[in-house]
Amino acid sequence: MKTFIQETIEDILKTTNSFENVTFILPSNRAGVFVKQAFKESQITGFLPEIINIEEFTQKVSGIRKIDSIQLLFYFYKIYKEQEVNPDSFDAFASWAFTVIQDFNEIDQHLVNTEDVFVYIRDIQRLKNWSVKGTIQETELMKNHFAFMEKLNEYYNALYAFLLENKIGYQGCMYREATKNIHQFLENNSSKKFYFIGFNALNKAEEFLLKEMLIQGNTEVYWDIDETFLNSTHQAGNFIRKYLSSWKYYEKEELKMPSNYFNGNKNIQLIGAAKNISQMKYVGELLSDMENHNNTALVLSDETLLPISLNSLPESVSSINITMGYPLKDIPLTSLFLSIFQLFISQEKLQKKGSKEFYYKDVIKVMKQPLLHRLLIVNEISVSDEITSAIHNNNHTFVSKEFIDRFLQKTESSVQELVGSLFLNSNDVRGFLNKIIALIDQLKAIVSGLEKEFLFRYYTAFMQLNNLQKEFGYFSDLKTLYQFFKQLITSETISFQGEPLAGLQLMGMLETRLLDFETVILTSVNEGILPGNSKQTSFIPFDVKVQFGLPTYREKDAIFSYHFFRLLQRAKNIYLVYNTESDSFGGGEKSRFIGQLELLKKNITSRFISPKVTTNAEFKKEIQKNEAVLLKLKELAKKGISPSALTNYLYNPIAFYQQKVLKIKEFDEIEEEVAFNTLGTVVHETLRELYEPYLGKFIQLENVKEMKPKIKEFVLRNFAIHFKNGDVSTGKNRLIFEVATRFVSNFLNQEIDLLKDESNELKILGIEKDYEAYIHIDEIDFPIKIHGQVDRIDQLNGVARIIDYKTGSVKPSDLKVPFLEEIRDFKYSKAIQVLLYAFMYLESENINENAEMQAGIVSFKKLQSGFMKLNFSEKFRGEDFNVTPERVYAFIDEMKILIREIYNQEIDFVEPSELPF
């Protein structure tokens, strides 16, 4: 395959032998490498021509040095403040200034008078709101908007004058000045020859420059266009056809040099894939099937897929050249700096700035950052892990610098000072930036390879911000700096280095200009991506752009149409991959270019691909009981099995194995809001403290009334004990505090109602009392200890009551046990617990066989139901609440069957196919 560059060089060599005074102007720098390679292959001896891109050329002609967008923004704000009496803050200014600069750039590139544009916009708006009756009044917002549009021209004039004075500018400024200086430039370079190669869509300034240079006679232009698009009405040829018909130069000269490759034989495959990941995985498979990747281009229409594509490349891709930059926001290191910013942003948001405390999640996030974690390792012990554990163990919702410093003392003095300084409260922006720069300087000693490159990129970014703050001081506080930093990392990239002439070429659509490849893999060929959507961020309305000849989405569509079809002109193998699935961000619709291609080319192979789904048989988790497991179970029998452990086994034997055999505990998370189990503990402990003085006594009505004023004091004290360092004075925690208080108060009110009836006698027998009992099973040669804590045992009118408190919701139906032989089911879990309490009570206390006994639950969420008792009646609405020893021991016989199963080596721990609700 002969590329456009090779054909162009061959044609130029027909008339040119020496390139000493020749300049090649190209659309991009990347194409220059391939131009040099083409000269090398032509075996020409002597000097190469000067090879520059169009931006470098305009810089030469204009005498204006281009500055980056960040510097330009700061200069613009300086000008803006001089123009305004009450200027916006820098962060508010930055929110609209980027768009204004973009509009200024476009206006200058197309040589439009700014005053005409912005006054035109103002007049249009006023005409829209004009009325014969004069009843439509301009609101304050409308007036401000019109004034702003008029002011834009003042901003433009002041900024432009400043830039010219300092010989710096943005791209449009360079173009406008280049058009003014072109005649002088040509006069100074009359002995030189200029070749413009591979251009398509030119702005008005570029058109002016080329026409003037063509008239001068020392310039030639080589257009990369196929006759298929040039000699038709196809959108891809719009611009070049316009130049051919409107430029006087082409009234006498022919166009150089259209090709006719598009109609040749091509292997074109159209592949529909579900979602972006499927696209990239398919591309990976496609590349792995290729013998080599030379002369192969992977083109990403959606450049945000670069991280996914890099992770999808097969091992067979031995070398790769990536033209596009890797977004700074996707670099892992970014999260470190964002997390440090977040320390202070949250501190201000949560109004903790004065107390100098930081939100624990932000502190943990900083401490868990890989590089900082690595920096804080002392003698193979992680100080950051120690800090994180201490925060959890002490339930610190907010963490002070002093708390962190206690752990940092274990590190080297330099590390201690550096990391400690990150937690110093300061609104001094330069001081903050210096701390970050010092951190990067410290981290560079513990990183290598790619991580060092990332650090260096951030070092330059923070140094630039620091220098700008030193010069201008526009960042008033860290919040402003944070907002700007987020904008910066969204737009900035880190460049890759590679071998441009070997291996796989990975690039975006714009990087393909002037380049040809035998094999092209193009992804995300979807409407809205290729071409992009019609939305444009601009203060200039669509109709005004049309009026003044500024580019709209229609011109941009034509540009992408050209790039798309030009890329396919010389390619032999073409794979067009698109997303078949629509989502909230669009997608799912093939690009219109695919439809056009199908009309132009026959024998296009079209197919859909989807991830390979393999159905694996679902296996239940099974744990065999070996000798080690049985030994642990024996230890458990000796230590004691709680009622909740037995019901946990009924719920899921695997969970029982993990908790009781492996001793795996759930991770204790910090309670920002009071957890439900903490609420339950506080209520239990409060009732214990209130009733403990009356243990073994008959309680009187006055006794319960005397408890009422103590409720808040006791609840508050128990929250302080069980909700460590937690604040129950505000927010949701305050509500939970009130709920706990209400639970206890309502319970006492119920007791008061009970004792108002003088015939009722209530005696407190036990409060939060620990019991234990042993179950002996013939097949097991050791006793099984059952232990638990009974919330309350009392005697009401001679009937002993075993009471379990529940802060959750319980229904009377949960305690209905008509048939004891069916009780080994998780749905009877609440009944099992209270029956086991009854068993332990019978075994531990000297109970008269004929004594009446009841067992049940008091639900604080269902206090209106009162004491809900175990009901043994077999009738639908029947009542049989008597807990007799016969019933208890019949129940224990059922529990023995369950315990035999647990201790039977032949029966594995098996996870249920469906866990019970």
Side-chain angles (χ1 to χ4, degrees):
M1 178 195 76
K2 189 170 286 188
T3 67
F4 170 74
I5 290 175
Q6 290 170 334
E7 290 182 344
T8 302
I9 300 299
E10 284 181 8
D11 190 71
I12 293 171
L13 286 171
K14 292 175 183 176
T15 57
T16 309
N17 295 321
S18 172
F19 292 93
E20 191 173 345
N21 287 316
V22 174
T23 300
F24 280 15
I25 298 121
L26 311 174
S28 66
N29 272 332
R30 190 160 192 272
V33 179
F34 290 83
V35 170
K36 290 175 184 176
Q37 179 64 17
F39 271 108
K40 182 180 177 182
E41 291 169 356
S42 300
Q43 298 180 344
I44 299 297
T45 57
F47 288 104
L48 283 176
E50 180 187 21
I51 301 172
I52 57 175
N53 62 35
I54 185 66
E55 192 173 279
E56 291 168 337
F57 177 72
T58 52
Q59 186 167 303
K60 269 189 171 188
V61 178
S62 65
I64 301 294
R65 177 177 58 86
K66 188 182 179 185
I67 59 171
D68 66 52
S69 58
I70 304 300
Q71 279 183 300
L72 181 62
L73 183 72
F74 277 76
Y75 287 133
F76 188 19
Y77 188 58
K78 180 182 178 181
I79 301 299
Y80 164 76
K81 287 206 302 179
E82 292 169 356
Q83 298 289 314
E84 290 295 324
V85 178
N86 297 307
D88 290 343
S89 63
F90 182 70
D91 54 332
F93 167 81
S95 66
W96 55 262
F98 278 114
T99 304
V100 169
I101 291 171
Q102 183 178 300
D103 285 339
F104 287 170
N105 184 55
E106 209 165 61
I107 287 169
D108 283 334
Q109 285 181 345
H110 289 81
L111 307 178
V112 178
N113 186 297
T114 50
E115 185 176 3
D116 293 346
V117 173
F118 293 120
V119 172
Y120 190 89
I121 294 169
R122 181 206 64 190
D123 292 345
I124 286 175
Q125 294 298 327
R126 285 184 170 163
L127 280 171
K128 284 181 180 178
N129 293 287
W130 179 82
S131 170
V132 175
K133 297 179 181 179
T135 54
I136 297 176
Q137 298 295 321
E138 289 183 355
T139 65
E140 196 63 33
L141 183 64
M142 291 163 63
K143 288 177 182 177
N144 289 339
H145 178 66
F146 299 149
F148 174 72
M149 296 309 294
E150 288 178 282
K151 278 278 190 183
L152 284 179
N153 190 58
E154 294 179 25
Y155 301 155
Y156 170 84
N157 289 332
L159 177 63
Y160 200 91
F162 172 83
L163 295 175
L164 284 188
E165 183 182 344
N166 291 277
K167 297 291 183 181
I168 55 175
Y170 49 87
Q171 194 178 50
C173 176
M174 288 162 50
Y175 274 113
R176 192 183 283 274
E177 290 305 304
T179 59
K180 296 175 184 177
N181 299 341
I182 186 62
H183 292 107
Q184 184 64 48
F185 176 83
L186 290 174
E187 188 178 322
N188 295 340
N189 294 275
S190 57
S191 61
K192 283 195 172 184
K193 179 80 172 179
F194 298 94
Y195 290 95
F196 284 82
I197 302 171
F199 286 87
N200 170 46
L202 304 174
N203 58 47
K204 290 287 182 4
E206 288 170 336
E207 277 194 59
F208 179 87
L209 293 173
L210 258 72
K211 285 193 286 186
E212 291 298 315
M213 293 177 75
L214 287 171
I215 291 169
Q216 191 73 16
N218 63 344
T219 301
E220 292 187 31
V221 181
Y222 284 83
W223 305 98
D224 188 4
I225 186 75
D226 195 280
E227 291 178 356
T228 304
F229 310 109
L230 182 65
N231 301 327
S232 66
T233 58
H234 196 282
Q235 192 180 32
N238 279 2
F239 293 101
I240 297 176
R241 283 198 302 272
K242 185 184 79 170
Y243 307 145
L244 189 59
S245 61
S246 63
W247 290 8
K248 287 185 177 181
Y249 176 81
Y250 287 114
E251 290 177 2
K252 299 178 181 178
E253 301 289 337
E254 291 186 356
L255 193 77
K256 292 183 178 180
M257 47 182 215
S259 61
N260 191 17
Y261 288 100
F262 186 78
N263 289 325
N265 292 328
K266 299 180 186 297
N267 167 32
I268 304 176
Q269 295 189 31
L270 182 60
I271 300 104
K275 300 291 185 182
N276 292 329
I277 289 180
S278 294
Q279 287 190 75
M280 291 303 120
K281 292 299 179 187
Y282 170 76
V283 168
E285 291 178 10
L286 195 61
L287 290 170
S288 64
D289 292 336
M290 295 180 182
E291 291 183 7
N292 69 74
H293 305 104
N294 293 331
N295 221 345
T296 299
L298 170 55
V299 183
L300 305 181
S301 303
D302 181 0
E303 295 189 13
T304 63
L305 298 185
L306 177 59
I308 302 175
S309 63
L310 291 176
N311 287 322
S312 302
L313 294 176
E315 291 182 5
S316 59
V317 178
S318 56
S319 60
I320 181 172
N321 184 52
I322 304 169
T323 304
M324 67 185 78
Y326 195 89
L328 216 55
K329 65 181 177 63
D330 293 330
I331 293 172
L333 188 62
T334 303
S335 63
L336 169 62
F337 302 116
L338 288 176
S339 65
I340 295 171
F341 270 111
Q342 196 60 48
L343 281 171
F344 300 96
I345 302 301
S346 296
Q347 189 186 53
E348 184 175 339
K349 183 180 177 182
L350 298 170
Q351 299 179 346
K352 287 288 180 179
K353 203 167 184 179
S355 65
K356 298 181 180 179
E357 290 183 319
F358 299 93
Y359 185 45
Y360 83 97
K361 282 188 177 177
D362 296 330
V363 175
I364 290 173
K365 193 171 183 181
V366 170
M367 289 299 159
K368 290 294 184 183
Q369 292 299 320
L371 286 185
L372 203 62
H373 187 272
R374 210 184 304 171
L375 189 67
L376 293 175
I377 290 178
V378 180
N379 297 326
E380 298 185 358
I381 296 173
S382 171
V383 174
S384 62
D385 285 347
E386 288 184 345
I387 293 172
T388 303
S389 298
I391 291 170
H392 278 109
N393 294 338
N394 292 283
N395 203 57
H396 282 302
T397 308
F398 292 95
V399 183
S400 68
K401 180 183 182 301
E402 291 71 26
F403 178 85
I404 295 167
D405 283 342
R406 291 204 300 270
F407 295 92
L408 292 178
Q409 288 174 2
K410 300 176 183 179
T411 64
E412 294 178 11
S413 58
S414 60
V415 174
Q416 179 185 341
E417 184 180 349
L418 175 65
V419 178
S421 71
L422 296 178
F423 295 90
L424 277 173
N425 283 69
S426 172
N427 209 30
D428 175 23
V429 173
R430 286 202 63 209
F432 178 83
L433 288 169
N434 284 327
K435 285 190 291 188
I436 298 295
I437 292 166
L439 176 64
I440 294 172
D441 199 48
Q442 184 84 30
L443 291 173
K444 73 181 183 183
I446 63 169
V447 299
S448 59
L450 202 55
E451 283 183 330
K452 188 161 281 189
E453 290 287 341
F454 292 158
L455 271 177
F456 179 74
R457 182 64 185 85
Y458 266 111
Y459 180 80
T460 56
F462 280 111
M463 282 298 292
Q464 183 186 24
L465 291 174
N466 199 19
N467 291 335
L468 289 170
Q469 179 66 5
K470 181 180 179 180
E471 183 179 352
F472 298 98
Y474 293 156
F475 298 124
S476 56
D477 51 33
L478 288 183
K479 190 175 180 182
T480 307
L481 177 65
Y482 176 59
Q483 296 299 332
F484 192 80
F485 178 74
K486 287 200 295 183
Q487 280 185 315
L488 179 68
I489 62 174
T490 302
S491 59
E492 293 293 309
T493 59
I494 184 167
S495 299
F496 291 93
Q497 291 182 350
E499 173 50 60
L501 300 172
L504 178 68
Q505 304 294 310
L506 177 54
M507 61 185 76
M509 181 58 81
L510 290 178
E511 281 78 38
T512 65
R513 289 174 293 183
L514 209 62
L515 304 181
D516 297 301
F517 303 94
E518 282 192 5
T519 301
V520 172
I521 304 169
L522 184 58
T523 64
S524 302
V525 191
N526 285 87
E527 197 67 21
I529 298 174
L530 194 65
N533 58 46
S534 57
K535 293 178 183 177
Q536 296 186 61
T537 306
S538 173
F539 286 111
I540 306 173
F542 175 81
D543 52 348
V544 177
K545 287 193 171 191
V546 172
Q547 173 68 25
F548 286 93
L550 295 172
T552 65
Y553 71 89
R554 293 186 296 203
E555 283 74 27
K556 290 177 181 177
D557 286 358
I559 291 170
F560 275 98
S561 176
Y562 169 81
H563 290 317
F564 175 81
F565 287 101
R566 194 217 65 79
L567 183 61
L568 309 186
Q569 282 174 194
R570 291 172 172 79
K572 294 179 180 178
N573 300 299
I574 301 164
Y575 302 89
L576 305 177
V577 190
Y578 66 95
N579 181 8
T580 60
E581 300 299 309
S582 59
D583 52 30
S584 56
F585 300 103
E589 183 182 352
K590 286 188 293 187
S591 169
R592 71 190 75 166
F593 298 156
I594 289 177
Q596 294 169 16
L597 183 64
E598 287 175 323
L599 291 173
L600 292 168
K601 299 291 290 183
K602 305 300 179 186
N603 303 321
I604 295 177
T605 305
S606 181
R607 60 197 176 97
F608 298 94
I609 56 124
S610 58
K612 295 174 183 177
V613 179
T614 56
T615 55
N616 295 325
E618 290 188 10
F619 294 102
K620 299 175 185 177
K621 286 184 183 177
E622 292 188 19
I623 307 295
Q624 292 183 347
K625 295 172 186 171
N626 55 26
E627 292 299 324
V629 172
L630 290 174
L631 184 62
K632 289 287 184 183
L633 289 173
K634 186 175 181 178
E635 291 174 6
L636 178 63
K638 185 178 180 181
K639 184 180 178 182
I641 304 175
S642 66
S644 61
L646 285 175
T647 56
N648 190 29
Y649 178 83
L650 288 172
Y651 176 75
N652 183 359
I654 294 295
F656 174 88
Y657 165 77
Q658 291 169 339
Q659 292 176 15
K660 297 302 177 184
V661 178
L662 296 182
K663 306 292 185 184
I664 297 174
K665 294 182 179 179
E666 289 187 6
F667 181 69
D668 291 330
E669 292 190 358
I670 289 175
E671 288 185 58
E672 295 179 70
E673 297 172 357
V674 178
F676 202 71
N677 60 338
T678 303
L679 170 65
T681 302
V682 168
V683 172
H684 279 64
E685 286 299 302
T686 301
L687 288 173
R688 180 186 63 76
E689 290 185 41
L690 290 171
Y691 278 92
E692 217 163 29
Y694 306 100
L695 196 59
K697 301 176 184 178
F698 284 98
I699 196 164
Q700 306 300 318
L701 178 63
E702 290 75 20
N703 302 143
V704 181
K705 288 182 177 179
E706 288 169 3
M707 296 178 192
K708 293 276 285 183
K710 302 176 184 177
I711 294 174
K712 281 202 172 181
E713 176 194 344
F714 284 22
V715 169
L716 195 60
R717 184 167 68 229
N718 280 298
F719 267 118
I721 296 169
H722 300 287
F723 184 46
K724 295 177 185 176
N725 299 299
D727 183 6
V728 293
S729 61
T730 59
K732 192 173 180 180
N733 289 340
R734 173 71 188 197
L735 296 176
I736 296 172
F737 169 80
E738 294 297 339
V739 166
T741 306
R742 185 67 61 86
F743 277 172
V744 177
S745 180
N746 289 347
F747 181 82
L748 295 183
N749 290 338
Q750 200 172 64
E751 295 277 80
I752 289 169
D753 291 340
L754 177 72
L755 294 172
K756 279 180 181 177
D757 185 346
E758 294 180 359
S759 64
N760 287 330
E761 290 184 338
L762 180 64
K763 184 178 183 181
I764 305 299
L765 302 178
I767 296 290
E768 301 291 337
K769 188 170 182 180
D770 292 319
Y771 282 107
E772 61 181 48
Y774 290 89
I775 297 176
H776 297 273
I777 301 172
D778 294 339
E779 297 88 339
I780 303 174
D781 58 0
F782 48 86
I784 309 298
K785 180 181 174 181
I786 305 294
H787 72 108
Q789 190 176 73
V790 181
D791 294 331
R792 170 165 157 170
I793 302 135
D794 64 22
Q795 192 178 69
L796 179 62
N797 301 327
V799 178
R801 302 190 305 174
I802 298 165
I803 302 172
D804 187 29
Y805 297 144
K806 298 288 185 189
T807 46
S809 181
V810 180
K811 304 185 292 293
S813 59
D814 293 332
L815 296 165
K816 184 82 179 285
V817 190
F819 307 104
L820 283 170
E821 60 271 18
E822 297 177 358
I823 202 168
R824 285 180 290 108
D825 191 307
F826 182 74
K827 68 179 180 180
Y828 295 111
S829 59
K830 294 179 177 64
I832 289 171
Q833 286 189 20
V834 291
L835 275 168
L836 283 169
Y837 291 144
F839 166 67
M840 288 184 279
Y841 177 70
L842 282 173
E843 289 285 295
S844 303
E845 305 286 353
N846 188 17
I847 306 298
N848 189 315
E849 288 186 4
N850 298 319
E852 287 188 64
M853 187 169 65
Q854 296 175 346
I857 290 173
V858 170
S859 170
F860 291 100
K861 278 193 176 180
K862 295 273 187 180
L863 272 175
Q864 68 274 16
S865 300
F867 174 51
M868 291 178 278
K869 308 162 191 172
L870 275 171
N871 188 353
F872 299 97
S873 176
E874 297 178 9
K875 296 178 181 178
F876 178 64
R877 294 185 181 274
E879 293 181 347
D880 184 356
F881 305 127
N882 196 15
V883 180
T884 64
E886 291 79 14
R887 282 174 172 162
V888 171
Y889 290 111
F891 159 74
I892 292 300
D893 287 339
E894 295 300 320
M895 289 298 100
K896 286 180 179 180
I897 297 172
L898 182 64
I899 293 168
R900 284 192 193 97
E901 181 181 311
I902 294 171
Y903 281 84
N904 189 338
Q905 188 172 0
E906 303 301 319
I907 300 176
D908 299 334
F909 291 114
V910 180
E911 187 176 44
S913 54
E914 290 185 10
L915 293 174
F917 291 101

